[in-house]
Amino acid sequence: MANRNLEKLASIDAQLRLLVPGKVSEDDKLIEYDALLLDKFLDILQDLHGEGLKETVQECYELSAEYEGKHDPKKLEELGNVLTSLDPGDSIVIAKAFSHMLNLANLAEEVQIAYRRRIKLKKGDFGDEANATTESDIEETLKKLVHKLKKSPEEVFDALKNQTVDLVFTAHPTQSVRRSLLQKHGRIRDCLAQLYAKDITPDDKQELDEALHREIQAAFRTDEIRRTPPTPQDEMRAGMSYFHETIWKGVPKFLRRVDTALKNIGINERVPYNAPLIQFSSWMGGDRDGNPRVTPEVTRDVCLLARMMAANMYFSQIEDLMFEMSMWRCSDELRVRAEELYRSSSRRDVKHYIEFWKQVPPTEPYRVILGDVRDKLYNTRERARHLLAHDVSDIPEELVYTNVEQFLEPLELCYRSLCACGDRVIADGSLLDFLRQVSTFGLSLVRLDIRQESDRHTDVLDAITQHLELGSYREWSEEKRQEWLLSELSGKRPLFGPDLPKTEEIADVLDTFHVLAELPADCFGAYIISMATSPSDVLAVELLQRECHVKQPLRVVPLFEKLADLDAAPAAVARLFSIEWYRNRIDGKQEVMIGYSDSGKDAGRLSAAWQLYKAQEELINVAKKFGVKLTMFHGRGGTVGRGGGPTHLAILSQPPETIHGSLRVTVQGEVIEQSFGEEHLCFRTLQRFCAATLEHGMNPPISPRPEWRALMDEMAVHATEQYREIVFKEPRFVEYFRLATPELEYGRMNIGSRPSKRKPSGGIESLRAIPWIFAWTQTRFHLPVWLGFGAAFKYAIEKDIKNLHMLQEMYKTWPFFRVTIDLVEMVFAKGDPGIAALNDKLLVSEDLWSFGESLRANYEETKHLLLKIAGHKDLLEGDPYLRQRLRLRDSYITTLNVCQAYTLKRIRDPNYHVTLRPHISKEYTEPSSKQAYEYVLLNPKSEYAPGLEDTLILTMKGIAAGMQNTG
């Protein structure tokens, strides 16, 4: 027996190495990392749950690996038999183990990527593995612009100083990993990276080994499932934790690197600290579109919380700055101020400060000035805390900072003084970093956008016009609405008093505007109107802001999402710009938001991508005609089905002239963790956005040729037709979708605070884009991403064989087309129709089997045509690293897919009987059956048979981790 076990133990490692033949390159350590984490985990599993359970995990892994080798559906059945014979507790442990192993595989990948990056930086070589397409190093970009494209260093510096990238954090419910686990994952990553460091001593190694064991066990012992849905305040706190952990220090660190890169092209100036290179905004607690849980009170809470957090972070740094600023030489301007402060502060000792608690003498003038800044920061933080807790504060407003200019002024004074005394090198240390933080984060940490549906504003105005006995605003024509809104906007009289009869919904909209009026203006960014179609939608918000006394009105941003809205957007914006009152109001600047996910759900990826491309071009032309600078706000999700993909490529494939140095883009859900979860990730993200935005402006991508446009237009028609034919018109589709995917069970994951449907009863059109994509990602069929491409390609090639060559040429030379195709190719590499076939066999009624088969035939045909156009023999042949990483993950994911399919079968079909084998998990301190069964007790209220709901949720989370995207 022992002998066989030894063979088995060796086998999972061997299996890993068989699956991934050879290293991709010399610096490839991925398999080592992966095997190390896996061995550690399997040992822990054996310690906690006994050898039998560990063997079951290995058996499942081997069956999956065999399936991955030959794609023989019999192997999936064998695997299903093993999984369905487990008792409830064991099946939870197995699902948890595979989900955990996938998370560990992801961590191994991240460490490998960071390791290869360091090696490259040391060698200074970026020439290998098509790196230019996915990575943008700021220094490389500057050198390329100066040396290859012959721009002058001054031109580059000038463009850089004037560009802005605004990253907007949204709480889209796609982060399926709990924060408690994300932190443990971070520590596992650190241990793994340190274990492979060059100068490690045997003692260090032993301690790191223990630490790794501890963190892996702690993660496995943490309940992965959120037992209650998060509130919007929870989502905001989770989003803001990234500022605390990486972004706060990451921004000044990144800007220093920009300074260094500038020096290396011969610019001996630094980026001015008030250049708005990077800005941060947030939707968490401001986005009320379809989320009834975001109330006016929530909006007020998150603004005050962010102010408190910002003041707290400045406060925690100011003492260090006081320590550094021990110089006595200063300018006359500063000395006079310091003496004034010294005289006027009748200050006693302040015992609650750790350092500098006695009054600072005027012989240390910088410390006197900064001491006053510290007092104000302390009061600013305390006042926000009081307002949050009790709605009132006894700290008067004159003792706190109310706007960022007051805060910058004393810091700028210190900076000027140091420079005047020949101490510029000191000024350019921590003081410059601090100034840059203040310029980036202000007093509000992030600016909160408000988003609301246009219909809700129409309801409010309708109530007002009916109350004033003017008729029903809702029934007026667009012309009449505009005429009335403009006459009210030009007039002075208030529209309504407290006696306006209000429903709950109307009060909610008006109270939100009152919150905008009550809080400091620097808390807020844009007011976004979803489902906006006409100029009156924008004017309505302008009028409501004025009526509710918003002192500095928010800029109003229409959001265009559905295909028809995108099509009509340029004309709608032109009508808006032709209104003289509005042109005077906006001062030559306008922002327009375009939505990627709903357009994709409405017409399929190909047509949506092309329509978004054309809409941007036309919007820019309209803005030029009226002399307005247009900022495009890109609402892209994390997954390809919702407009996601590598940042660098996404930016460089936008139409020429559409970015022009100002880019706003959403960073959603799980993408926040991938972009800002670690210091080096934060640095890389900031670098990518800055470099790609600069390059797009100074070296725009090519414009498509007229014949390419014509072909795209024709193909888009066929793609949309096939997509809608299947998704919206095929009577069997909704039933098939609900049976073949875990869509109905998605809501149990408690990922987000927002309901998954806009209307509880509706069909596909009322389903949110996130659960729509989520459901298809879970079955690895990814239907929304590729559906329509096949029909389009087939039509083009059958019409004229020359079109094949044209498509191949478009792929080689036109960034937009290339990115669109490459992303779909990557999704095919993650897909597996065999899993979809298993789901059909188990979950779908027999009369729908032929429909599923036709969809899978369409999948294969589309994949074949796509490879032909890209000129590839195999999927991802141009990216061996990604191919290797996906292969490593596949066997884990397959086990979870099979487990999910059989668990859904047991949940949905009461007549499906399985014979359970005896319980296998053993606990070394307790009677054998108790430990695993405790998992079942974590969910006592489940309406399903014991253990099934948790097993299902764990498979969903595991697959999401393996696909590296949820929705």
Side-chain angles (χ1 to χ4, degrees):
M1 175 76 188
N3 210 1
R4 194 175 75 83
N5 281 347
L6 269 177
E7 272 170 40
K8 273 213 129 156
L9 278 187
S11 74
I12 200 156
D13 255 9
Q15 213 70 57
L16 268 176
R17 292 172 201 284
L18 276 177
L19 271 177
V20 186
K23 293 185 168 192
V24 182
S25 64
E26 269 316 291
D27 57 15
D28 176 10
K29 283 204 166 26
L30 181 57
I31 300 174
E32 277 174 60
Y33 291 153
D34 210 36
L36 172 81
L37 291 179
L38 201 69
D39 286 346
K40 275 256 177 300
F41 173 64
L42 289 170
D43 290 346
I44 290 169
L45 195 64
Q46 179 164 344
D47 284 349
L48 297 179
H49 294 288
E51 206 173 320
L53 200 99
K54 175 178 163 182
E55 281 182 18
T56 311
V57 166
Q58 287 174 326
E59 187 182 355
C60 293
Y61 184 86
E62 281 164 31
L63 285 167
S64 291
E66 284 171 28
Y67 166 76
E68 289 305 326
K70 299 203 175 58
H71 286 280
D72 172 4
K74 283 204 190 64
K75 291 290 167 205
L76 294 181
E77 260 178 65
E78 279 180 52
L79 184 55
N81 293 336
V82 174
L83 290 166
T84 44
S85 68
L86 301 173
D87 84 338
D90 289 334
S91 91
I92 293 177
V93 176
I94 298 274
K96 199 172 160 60
F98 273 91
S99 176
H100 197 63
M101 292 194 297
L102 265 167
N103 281 320
L104 293 175
N106 284 347
L107 296 175
E109 267 181 41
E110 284 163 31
V111 175
Q112 155 82 353
I113 291 169
Y115 169 76
R116 287 198 28 255
R117 212 176 144 61
R118 277 198 306 280
I119 295 220
K120 258 206 220 76
L121 288 173
K122 276 187 197 147
K123 288 189 199 152
D125 112 58
F126 275 85
D128 66 331
E129 49 129 355
N131 199 296
T133 56
T134 55
E135 203 39 271
S136 27
D137 181 276
I138 190 84
E139 191 152 331
E140 292 296 309
T141 304
L142 297 187
K143 285 182 176 158
K144 177 170 151 190
L145 290 171
V146 173
H147 303 315
K148 279 199 187 144
L149 300 163
K150 302 292 178 245
K151 305 279 183 196
S152 75
E154 291 69 31
E155 253 181 289
V156 175
F157 184 43
D158 204 47
L160 191 63
K161 272 193 308 208
N162 291 308
Q163 81 173 31
T164 301
V165 173
D166 185 357
L167 302 176
V168 185
F169 282 30
T170 68
H172 280 300
T174 53
Q175 173 50 282
S176 68
V177 185
R178 293 181 53 198
R179 268 169 75 193
S180 317
L181 279 167
L182 289 173
Q183 286 180 342
K184 294 178 177 62
H185 291 168
R187 293 198 287 270
I188 294 172
R189 236 180 336 225
D190 292 345
C191 290
L192 188 58
Q194 287 169 17
L195 262 176
Y196 282 86
K198 287 277 181 290
D199 48 3
I200 180 172
T201 67
D203 287 355
D204 286 339
K205 186 172 180 327
Q206 193 176 342
E207 283 160 21
L208 280 167
D209 255 348
E210 282 173 20
L212 196 58
H213 184 128
R214 180 166 52 248
E215 293 302 338
I216 292 176
Q217 183 158 336
F220 186 62
R221 288 293 220 190
T222 301
D223 187 7
E224 275 177 71
I225 299 173
R226 284 200 185 94
R227 299 291 168 186
T228 50
T231 64
Q233 289 98 319
D234 292 330
E235 292 179 324
M236 179 269 182
R237 282 173 162 88
M240 295 304 107
S241 69
Y242 291 96
F243 286 86
H244 204 251
E245 280 153 29
T246 62
I247 299 172
W248 189 259
K249 293 205 167 71
V251 166
K253 187 176 150 192
F254 167 67
L255 292 169
R256 265 186 197 280
R257 178 59 51 86
V258 178
D259 290 342
T260 308
L262 285 166
K263 218 176 240 154
N264 294 340
I265 57 164
I267 294 281
N268 281 321
E269 273 181 80
R270 293 178 178 276
V271 175
Y273 59 81
N274 53 359
L277 226 60
I278 298 164
Q279 304 280 291
F280 291 93
S281 305
S282 162
W283 278 21
M284 303 180 185
D287 176 13
R288 45 227 337 115
D289 175 15
N291 189 349
R293 296 190 183 100
V294 177
T295 59
E297 184 192 3
V298 165
T299 298
R300 184 175 180 274
D301 278 2
V302 299
C303 287
L304 289 169
L305 189 63
R307 286 184 98 74
M308 185 176 90
M309 288 168 79
N312 193 36
M313 289 200 270
Y314 291 124
F315 181 75
S316 64
Q317 268 171 244
I318 191 96
E319 280 181 357
D320 296 343
L321 197 58
M322 288 172 78
F323 256 108
E324 283 189 37
M325 295 289 139
S326 51
M327 287 58 72
W328 51 269
R329 248 187 217 89
C330 68
S331 64
D332 295 342
E333 180 190 19
L334 188 126
R335 179 170 295 107
V336 170
R337 170 82 61 88
E339 283 168 358
E340 259 173 43
L341 280 171
Y342 183 73
R343 278 199 307 276
S344 66
S345 82
S346 53
R347 209 171 112 184
R348 299 184 306 286
D349 298 343
V350 186
K351 293 182 181 171
H352 60 252
Y353 287 151
I354 311 282
E355 305 291 350
F356 305 111
W357 58 285
K358 292 197 175 72
Q359 195 175 5
V360 181
T363 49
E364 297 183 335
Y366 293 100
R367 287 178 170 174
V368 175
I369 303 269
L370 293 173
D372 183 55
V373 173
R374 176 175 66 168
D375 292 344
K376 285 218 171 91
L377 282 172
Y378 180 81
N379 287 332
T380 306
R381 179 186 71 186
E382 292 308 299
R383 185 176 154 87
R385 189 199 304 277
H386 296 164
L387 289 172
L388 246 182
H390 315 294
D391 287 343
V392 288
S393 171
D394 50 10
I395 299 174
E397 234 176 32
E398 49 276 13
L399 295 183
V400 303
Y401 287 126
T402 50
N403 62 43
V404 77
E405 288 71 30
Q406 301 168 331
F407 186 9
L408 279 170
E409 193 272 334
L411 301 170
E412 289 169 333
L413 175 62
C414 294
Y415 190 87
R416 281 198 305 275
S417 167
L418 285 167
C419 293
C421 299
D423 286 331
R424 177 177 279 268
V425 326
I426 300 172
D428 283 340
S430 315
L431 180 60
L432 177 65
D433 286 347
F434 198 79
L435 278 161
R436 283 173 163 171
Q437 283 169 323
V438 177
S439 299
T440 305
F441 303 110
L443 292 169
S444 57
L445 193 59
V446 290
R447 285 176 174 265
L448 185 72
D449 283 0
I450 304 292
R451 179 168 78 144
Q452 182 61 281
E453 279 180 82
S454 56
D455 250 15
R456 298 286 298 272
H457 305 132
T458 306
D459 290 343
V460 175
L461 292 171
D462 193 64
I464 293 171
T465 56
Q466 303 238 24
H467 182 60
L468 298 173
E469 298 179 353
L470 297 170
S472 164
Y473 176 86
R474 182 176 276 293
E475 280 158 26
W476 291 350
S477 67
E478 173 64 16
E479 280 61 43
K480 185 163 181 191
R481 285 182 183 189
Q482 282 184 34
E483 186 188 334
W484 179 74
L485 290 165
L486 286 166
S487 78
E488 287 300 334
L489 280 163
S490 320
K492 289 277 182 283
R493 59 171 192 159
L495 256 186
F496 60 90
D499 61 337
L500 177 75
K502 306 184 187 99
T503 63
E504 232 174 88
E505 275 84 11
I506 289 173
D508 188 77
V509 173
L510 290 172
D511 288 346
T512 301
F513 282 105
H514 290 311
V515 170
L516 302 185
E518 171 206 352
L519 292 172
D522 63 357
C523 288
F524 301 106
Y527 195 111
I528 294 154
I529 313 171
S530 50
M531 308 290 172
T533 48
S534 48
S536 64
D537 289 334
V538 174
L539 296 174
V541 175
E542 294 285 4
L543 182 60
L544 289 171
Q545 290 198 82
R546 198 199 72 185
E547 281 306 312
C548 298
H549 313 294
V550 180
K551 290 182 274 306
Q552 293 179 20
L554 281 62
R555 59 182 191 277
V556 182
V557 177
L559 158 59
F560 301 103
E561 295 197 83
K562 293 232 156 66
L563 213 59
D565 295 345
L566 284 167
D567 204 16
V573 172
R575 290 207 305 277
L576 186 61
F577 287 162
S578 53
I579 297 170
E580 192 188 353
W581 180 91
Y582 188 73
R583 275 205 316 281
N584 296 338
R585 152 83 175 95
I586 59 172
D587 188 27
K589 291 198 279 292
Q590 175 69 41
E591 186 179 311
V592 168
M593 181 169 182
I594 49 176
Y596 287 64
S597 45
D598 280 345
S599 51
K601 190 175 125 234
D602 179 41
R605 192 75 248 132
L606 178 70
S607 317
W610 179 230
Q611 194 61 55
L612 284 158
Y613 188 93
K614 289 195 300 187
Q616 286 187 69
E617 288 183 315
E618 289 164 28
L619 284 165
I620 292 289
N621 290 337
V622 167
K624 265 196 195 144
K625 197 174 104 190
F626 286 96
V628 173
K629 178 172 170 27
L630 194 65
T631 295
M632 287 309 223
F633 180 7
H634 300 263
R636 47 199 290 264
T639 49
V640 178
R642 292 182 37 249
T647 304
H648 184 78
L649 294 176
I651 294 175
L652 290 182
S653 66
Q654 298 303 325
E657 291 195 24
T658 52
I659 291 178
H660 247 331
S662 67
L663 174 73
R664 255 196 127 202
V665 62
T666 53
V667 185
Q668 296 191 355
E670 84 277 21
V671 184
I672 299 180
E673 171 65 21
Q674 290 158 14
S675 309
F676 295 101
E678 293 278 304
E679 273 178 34
H680 74 97
L681 293 175
C682 170
F683 185 84
R684 240 171 61 195
T685 302
L686 298 177
Q687 175 159 269
R688 275 178 184 167
F689 276 107
C690 276
T693 303
L694 182 69
E695 189 176 336
H696 187 283
M698 298 199 79
N699 178 30
I702 62 165
S703 271
R705 296 190 210 140
E707 61 270 30
W708 296 354
R709 282 178 184 278
L711 185 61
M712 281 300 291
D713 282 337
E714 285 181 56
M715 286 187 355
V717 171
H718 285 267
T720 304
E721 201 173 289
Q722 186 189 45
Y723 180 89
R724 288 183 175 163
E725 197 61 47
I726 289 178
V727 173
F728 293 111
K729 296 185 185 146
E730 164 61 64
R732 297 173 296 177
F733 182 77
V734 174
E735 187 191 353
Y736 176 78
F737 167 59
R738 299 249 147 99
L739 291 172
T741 71
E743 183 259 325
L744 293 169
E745 288 80 7
Y746 162 80
R748 301 181 174 276
M749 283 183 67
N750 284 334
I751 296 186
S753 70
R754 184 172 82 172
S756 60
K757 277 215 167 84
R758 289 177 195 267
K759 298 185 189 68
S761 57
I764 301 291
E765 52 288 338
S766 75
L767 189 69
R768 285 262 174 201
I770 291 167
W772 163 240
I773 301 285
F774 182 90
W776 290 110
T777 308
Q778 288 284 309
T779 62
R780 283 164 72 186
F781 196 51
H782 305 285
L783 176 109
V785 179
W786 56 262
L787 185 59
F789 275 90
F793 293 152
K794 198 169 162 185
Y795 159 80
I797 294 166
E798 282 174 1
K799 183 180 169 191
D800 186 345
I801 192 66
K802 286 201 198 92
N803 282 342
L804 177 60
H805 301 301
M806 197 195 301
L807 287 165
Q808 287 167 337
E809 186 190 6
M810 284 156 70
Y811 179 77
K812 286 195 186 84
T813 51
W814 181 21
F816 162 77
F817 190 69
R818 172 150 202 152
V819 167
T820 307
I821 299 295
D822 281 352
L823 288 175
V824 178
E825 182 180 2
M826 179 191 77
V827 168
F828 273 128
K830 289 180 175 183
D832 180 356
I835 300 292
L838 175 75
N839 275 34
D840 277 14
K841 196 174 123 193
L842 289 173
L843 304 169
V844 174
S845 46
E846 266 182 63
D847 54 330
L848 291 173
W849 283 3
S850 60
F851 180 59
E853 274 160 27
S854 68
L855 287 177
R856 287 192 290 284
N858 189 337
Y859 174 102
E860 293 297 350
E861 182 181 38
T862 304
K863 181 166 85 174
H864 170 71
L865 288 167
L866 184 103
L867 287 172
K868 211 171 182 174
I869 286 164
H872 294 167
K873 281 194 198 57
D874 288 318
L875 289 171
L876 292 185
E877 67 178 39
D879 191 345
Y881 285 98
L882 180 60
R883 206 157 118 188
Q884 173 202 36
R885 300 207 302 263
L886 292 180
R887 271 200 175 168
L888 265 181
R889 278 187 245 152
D890 278 344
S891 304
Y892 304 120
I893 301 176
T894 298
T895 303
L896 288 166
N897 280 129
V898 173
C899 185
Q900 184 178 81
Y902 280 92
T903 307
L904 283 170
K905 175 75 171 166
R906 290 166 75 175
I907 284 175
R908 294 178 187 175
D909 180 357
N911 304 321
Y912 181 66
H913 289 299
V914 291
T915 43
L916 297 184
R917 57 182 182 184
H919 177 85
I920 43 181
S921 163
K922 293 192 177 37
E923 181 67 4
Y924 55 88
T925 51
E926 293 167 1
S928 66
S929 66
K930 186 172 167 214
Q931 177 64 25
Y933 201 73
E934 282 182 349
Y935 284 110
V936 179
L937 305 179
L938 285 172
N939 188 354
K941 297 201 178 92
S942 175
E943 58 207 71
Y944 306 144
L948 291 182
E949 183 172 1
D950 281 16
T951 303
L952 178 67
I953 295 172
L954 287 165
T955 62
M956 288 190 194
K957 282 181 174 266
I959 294 165
M963 290 305 188
Q964 288 193 344
N965 27 31
T966 36

